[in-house]
Amino acid sequence: MSLHGNYDPQNIFAQIIRGEAPCYKLYEDDDVLAFLDLFPQSFGHTLVIPKRAAARNILDIDADNLCKLIRVAQHLAQVLVDELQPEGVQVAQFNGAPAGQTVFHIHMHIIPRFAGQGMGVHATSKADPTELEQLQARLVQRLRG
Ligand code: AMP
């Protein structure tokens, strides 16, 4: 069952944390990393992950790392709202394949929601790299602001 089992250190987010796979990084501290989703469900779709927790999901993670994760998720949600001015923002977290989880390293989704625009299908359409680079630059600038 995907809700249970051993943590796979070769999952794509673990590779990103180790610098073995690329990402459009927005934010990093000692404990948490945030980057753009490669298959965004809306403009600005961002992922926030713990760096020091080998946790598949919310059942596995220790409270300290979970608190650090949610604090950064809140900060990034504010930055996305300030920069992109969506009418809504969705914060989501999936546990186990039947719940929609596809990468088994715990993460928070921050998905800006724009009035009149539906949400893209989960983990399906790859974004244009130029668009992601430009968006990354905007958001990093706003984070520094
Ligand atoms: P979940 O389905 O909740 O496990 O979410 C995994 C998310 O990771 C999906 O929204 C995917 O689009 C996204 N994703 C998968 N691979 C990458 C990657 N290499 N870089 C950035 N986002 C990714």
Side-chain angles (χ1 to χ4, degrees):
M1 275 207 304
S2 62
L3 193 56
H4 305 288
N6 295 326
Y7 179 84
D8 174 9
Q10 293 309 322
N11 77 75
I12 185 64
F13 292 173
Q15 291 180 43
I16 288 172
I17 291 167
R18 292 195 297 268
E20 296 166 5
C23 73
Y24 293 90
K25 188 192 295 183
L26 300 180
Y27 172 90
E28 182 168 24
D29 63 29
D30 287 346
D31 302 297
V32 180
L33 176 66
F35 51 92
L36 294 174
D37 197 298
L38 268 193
F39 306 86
Q41 290 181 261
S42 78
F43 188 59
H45 185 167
T46 293
L47 299 171
V48 188
I49 67 174
K51 289 166 61 180
R52 295 175 184 271
R56 290 160 60 91
N57 56 49
I58 199 160
L59 306 179
D60 293 346
I61 191 169
D62 62 282
D64 186 40
N65 274 306
L66 182 60
C67 289
K68 288 170 174 163
L69 180 67
I70 193 76
R71 285 173 73 111
V72 173
Q74 184 194 38
H75 181 49
L76 266 291
Q78 185 67 66
V79 167
L80 286 161
V81 167
D82 289 347
E83 180 61 28
L84 304 180
Q85 301 285 305
E87 287 77 20
V89 62
Q90 189 167 347
V91 178
Q93 191 275 315
F94 306 143
N95 303 284
Q101 187 173 14
T102 58
V103 177
F104 295 93
H105 177 108
I106 186 172
H107 49 280
M108 311 279 309
H109 295 262
I110 307 172
I111 307 175
R113 297 299 305 272
F114 301 90
Q117 289 183 22
M119 202 162 71
V121 180
H122 186 57
T124 302
S125 302
K126 198 166 185 178
D128 172 32
T130 307
E131 190 176 281
L132 289 177
E133 272 171 34
Q134 289 170 353
L135 179 57
Q136 178 191 27
R138 271 179 76 179
L139 293 168
V140 166
Q141 182 71 26
R142 172 67 69 165
L143 269 155
R144 289 189 182 132

